[in-house]
Amino acid sequence: MVEMDVNGCRVLKGFLDLKAQQMIVADIRRVVETAPLFSPLTPWGKPMSVGMSSAGKYGWYTDKTGYRYEAKHPNGSPWPDIPASVIEVWSSVVTNLRLPDCCLINYYKKAAKMGLHQDKDEQDFSWPVLSISLGDTGVFRVGGTSRKNPTQSVNLESGDVAILGGNARLAYHGIDRIKFGSSTLLNGGGRLNLTLRVVD
Ligand code: MD6
Ligand code: FE
C-alpha cells in the first residue's frame, strides 16, 4: 500500500485487496436490491449522470429544493444498514469510536461524471469523509477551499481509499471522467464509489 497526498487529500493506493473488494461489491449489490439506484435532480432541475443510493441512518439526497440528508429512500423505505465490510474500512482508517451515519453509493456508467463540489451538508466538519473506489478507474480532481484554487488530479483505481479531512475536509473535488473498461471487478463495467460520512 502506498500513501499519496493530493492537495491534502490522503489517497491510500491499493488499500483493499481483490477479496475485500469482491466482498464489498457483493454486500453493496444486496443494499441496492432493497434501495435501488436512482438519478436525483440537482437544485437546477437536471438529473445527475451518476446513479445513487445510500445505506445507514441517512442517505444523501437532492431535488429542486436543494441538497440534504434524508432518513428514507424516495420509495419510502428506511435505508439498509451499512454493511460490516464497509464499516471495517472506516474503523481501520478513521476510528472505531464513532461510526459513519451515511454510506453514499455512487455508480458511474461510461459517460457519468461529477462536477467540482464541496461536501458540506454534514454538521461537524471535524469528521473526515472517506471514499472507497471499486471497478473502473476514476479521474479525481482535488483543489482547495475556494473554487479558484489550483487543482491536482489522481487516478482512483479499484481498491483505493481517499480521505478528505483536516484542512482538506472542505476542499473542492470531483470526478472528471471514468476510464471505462479499465477494471473487470464489476459485471458490465463502470465505477462504484462509496463515501462514508458522519452526519449528525
Ligand atoms: C467519487 N467522490 O469518487 C466522488 N467526496 O465518485 C467524492 O465526492 C468524495 O471521493 C468526499 C470525499 C471523498 C470523495
Ligand atoms: Fe464529495
Side-chain angles (χ1 to χ4, degrees):
M1 207 251 300
V2 174
E3 178 160 349
M4 295 172 67
D5 179 322
V6 184
N7 271 341
C9 176
R10 283 175 70 202
V11 179
L12 312 179
K13 298 293 296 176
F15 185 82
L16 298 168
D17 65 17
L18 183 59
K19 263 267 165 56
Q21 295 173 43
Q22 288 167 336
M23 285 268 282
I24 293 176
V25 170
D27 288 340
I28 295 300
R29 284 198 190 286
R30 276 187 287 273
V31 168
V32 299
E33 276 168 25
T34 16
L37 295 167
F38 56 96
S39 288
L41 286 184
T42 64
W44 304 275
K46 239 188 97 171
M48 295 187 69
S49 61
V50 173
M52 284 191 180
S53 189
S54 291
K57 182 177 178 189
Y58 299 113
W60 187 83
Y61 190 73
T62 171
D63 63 13
K64 283 185 177 174
T65 63
Y67 299 156
R68 61 191 181 273
Y69 283 95
E70 289 282 358
K72 289 179 175 168
H73 186 278
N75 73 11
S77 305
W79 305 100
D81 289 341
I82 303 176
S85 58
V86 175
I87 293 283
E88 159 74 18
V89 179
W90 174 277
S91 299
S92 64
V93 176
V94 182
T95 179
N96 53 22
L97 299 176
R98 175 69 154 99
L99 297 182
D101 300 313
C102 172
C103 171
L104 173 64
I105 301 166
N106 288 149
Y107 178 64
Y108 296 72
K109 284 192 246 187
K110 200 169 192 164
K113 54 191 164 56
M114 187 171 298
L116 270 193
H117 66 276
Q118 290 173 296
D119 286 25
K120 56 176 185 185
D121 303 312
E122 303 75 25
Q123 280 167 21
D124 183 351
F125 300 136
S126 65
W127 294 105
V129 177
L130 179 150
S131 103
I132 301 172
S133 291
L134 298 161
D136 288 339
T137 299
V139 181
F140 187 57
R141 185 187 288 274
V142 186
T145 53
S146 160
R147 220 175 243 291
K148 296 180 220 158
N149 293 146
T151 62
Q152 264 184 275
S153 292
V154 64
N155 285 337
L156 292 180
E157 295 166 287
S158 198
D160 292 352
V161 165
I163 305 110
L164 282 179
N167 291 333
R169 173 63 179 75
L170 292 173
Y172 276 89
H173 58 280
I175 293 286
D176 290 343
R177 62 191 173 87
I178 70 161
K179 297 187 178 180
F180 192 80
S182 51
S183 161
T184 55
L185 185 73
L186 305 179
N187 299 125
R191 173 171 182 267
L192 193 57
N193 177 260
L194 309 177
T195 46
L196 300 175
R197 304 110 187 279
V198 169
V199 174
D200 284 329

